[in-house]
Amino acid sequence: MAHKKGQGSSRNGRDSNPKWLGVKKYAGELVGVGAIIKRQRGTPHLPGLNVGLGRDHTLFALSEGIVRFRGRKVDVIPNAD
C-alpha cells in the first residue's frame, strides 16, 4: 500500500475558523451590565473600574456606564443621567 497519495494531493488544506476578536464597544459608548467590551488573546488590555475579565481574557462590563480606555486599563464609568 502506498503511504503517500498520488499526485494532486493537497498537503496544506487546513484552516482554522475565525475567532471574531477585537474591540466590540469603543470609548464613549454606553454599555449595559455584561456587555462584551473587548475579545482578546492574552491581556493586552486589563480590567479597570467596573470591568471583569473572563476565562478567555474577554473584558466585560460589571455595571452600566460609559466605556473609557486609560492606557492598558479599560473602565466603565457610571452614567450621570
Side-chain angles (χ1 to χ4, degrees):
M1 297 280 296
H3 131 117
K4 297 272 190 198
K5 220 174 159 187
Q7 94 271 311
S9 68
S10 169
R11 285 173 48 193
N12 297 327
R14 294 170 301 283
D15 195 7
S16 62
N17 293 325
K19 300 301 175 211
W20 313 115
L21 301 175
V23 177
K24 307 300 178 188
K25 297 290 180 185
Y26 291 88
E29 284 194 61
L30 185 63
V31 292
V33 177
I36 293 175
I37 300 168
K38 183 174 186 201
R39 301 219 338 116
Q40 57 187 1
R41 287 287 168 266
T43 51
H45 281 103
L46 298 170
L49 188 68
N50 297 320
V51 175
L53 184 69
R55 210 178 44 145
D56 63 351
H57 302 118
T58 294
L59 298 176
F60 60 92
L62 294 173
S63 69
E64 191 175 300
I66 306 225
V67 176
R68 177 178 77 175
F69 285 84
R70 166 171 70 88
R72 256 187 94 187
K73 290 205 169 173
V74 181
D75 301 324
V76 172
I77 308 303
N79 202 0
D81 290 345

